[in-house]
Amino acid sequence: MTMNLFNQFLSPTFLGLPLIAIALMAPCLLYPSPAPGWQSNRWTTLQNWFIGSFIKQTLSPINTKGHSWALLLATLMVFLITLNTLGLLPYTFTPTTQLSLNMAFAVPLWLATVIMGFRNSPTHALGHLLPEGTPTPLVPILIIIESISLLIRPLALGVRLTANLTAGHLLIQLVSSAAFSLLLSQTTAASLAVGLLLLLTILEVAVAMIQAYVFVLLLSLYLQENV
C-alpha cells in the first residue's frame, strides 16, 4: 500500500528515457510568445494585469538595484503555478514534488542573492550574522546560529514546496481510493467521500498557487536583504 501511494511521485519513463523534460516544457508550450501583430484580447489583458500586479507588489519594498530581477521572478512565478496546477490533472506528473528539482531552483537563486549582497555591501551582508548590541560572550554562538540559518534557507524553500504538494497529492489519492472502494457497498459514505474529494481538489488548486507565490516571495525577501 505504501509503495502504491508513493509510486505517483516517481518520474515517468518511456523506453528508459525520463519524461520529466516534457513536463518541464509544458508551461513554455502553453504560453507562446505573442507576435507583434496580435491584438490584445481578454486573456492577454488578464495575464498582463496579473504579472504587472505581482511585480509591483513584490518589488515595491526593494530598491532600484533589485528591479532587474523582475523578469526572472515573474517568469518563475508563472512557471511554478503552471507546473503545480497541471500536476493536479489526472494521469499527469508534477515535477515540483521532486525535492531535487526544487533545490535546483532554490539554491542558485538564493546563492545569487547572497553573492550580490557581498559584492554590493560586504559590511552590511556580514552585519546580518551578528545583531547589534550582542553581549561579547554570545558573539561566537550567534555567529554560528545566524550562519546556519542563512545556509538553511534554500533547503527550507525546496522542502516547503515539496512537502505541501506531496501531502496534497497523498490526501487526494487516499480520499479517492476510499470513495472508489465504498461506491458499491456504502453509497452514502461514498458520496461524502466524493464531496470531500471535490473540496480537497479546490483546496489543492489554491495551495498550488499559494506555494508558488510563497516561493517567489521569500526569494524577493532574500533579495531585499542583500540590495
Side-chain angles (χ1 to χ4, degrees):
M1 179 66 178
T2 304
M3 291 300 296
N4 291 335
L5 284 177
F6 287 93
N7 278 345
Q8 62 176 315
F9 302 114
L10 297 177
S11 179
T13 59
F14 180 72
L15 298 177
L17 299 176
L19 299 180
I20 188 172
I22 298 178
L24 291 176
M25 288 190 298
C28 302
L29 300 176
L30 291 176
Y31 300 104
S33 300
W38 283 10
Q39 293 184 350
S40 179
N41 53 30
R42 293 180 180 179
W43 170 247
T44 56
T45 302
L46 179 62
Q47 179 180 341
N48 294 335
W49 172 83
F50 170 76
I51 295 176
S53 300
F54 167 74
I55 292 176
K56 182 179 179 181
Q57 181 180 1
T58 305
L59 298 182
S60 57
I62 305 175
N63 60 29
T64 54
K65 289 184 179 180
H67 290 182
S68 59
W69 285 58
L71 180 61
L72 177 61
L73 294 179
T75 303
L76 182 63
M77 174 73 173
V78 175
F79 186 74
L80 290 178
I81 286 180
T82 307
L83 286 181
N84 295 347
T85 52
L86 286 179
L88 295 173
L89 298 175
Y91 302 104
T92 57
F93 171 69
T94 312
T96 44
T97 56
Q98 306 294 311
L99 181 60
S100 57
L101 178 67
N102 295 332
M103 293 301 294
F105 286 139
V107 173
L109 294 174
W110 164 82
L111 187 60
T113 62
V114 173
I115 293 175
M116 179 181 294
F118 277 98
R119 186 185 64 180
N120 293 336
S121 179
T123 305
H124 181 72
L126 291 174
H128 289 297
L129 301 180
L130 186 63
E132 186 178 357
T134 303
T136 304
L138 297 179
V139 169
I141 299 176
L142 281 180
I143 291 178
I144 294 175
I145 293 175
E146 291 296 330
S147 300
I148 293 175
S149 66
L150 177 65
L151 296 175
I152 209 172
R153 283 179 173 181
L155 181 62
L157 280 177
V159 170
R160 180 186 292 107
L161 183 59
T162 303
N164 281 281
L165 295 179
T166 302
H169 283 65
L170 287 176
L171 278 175
I172 289 178
Q173 182 169 357
L174 287 172
V175 174
S176 60
S177 300
F180 183 76
S181 60
L182 295 174
L183 187 59
L184 298 178
S185 58
Q186 302 181 18
T187 308
T188 304
S191 302
L192 293 176
V194 170
L196 179 60
L197 180 61
L198 293 176
L199 293 178
L200 274 177
T201 303
I202 297 173
L203 177 63
E204 278 308 303
V205 172
V207 168
M209 297 181 179
I210 292 172
Q211 288 305 315
Y213 174 73
V214 169
F215 189 93
V216 179
L217 179 62
L218 289 176
L219 276 177
S220 68
L221 293 178
Y222 301 158
L223 178 65
Q224 181 181 355
E225 288 183 0
N226 291 283
V227 295

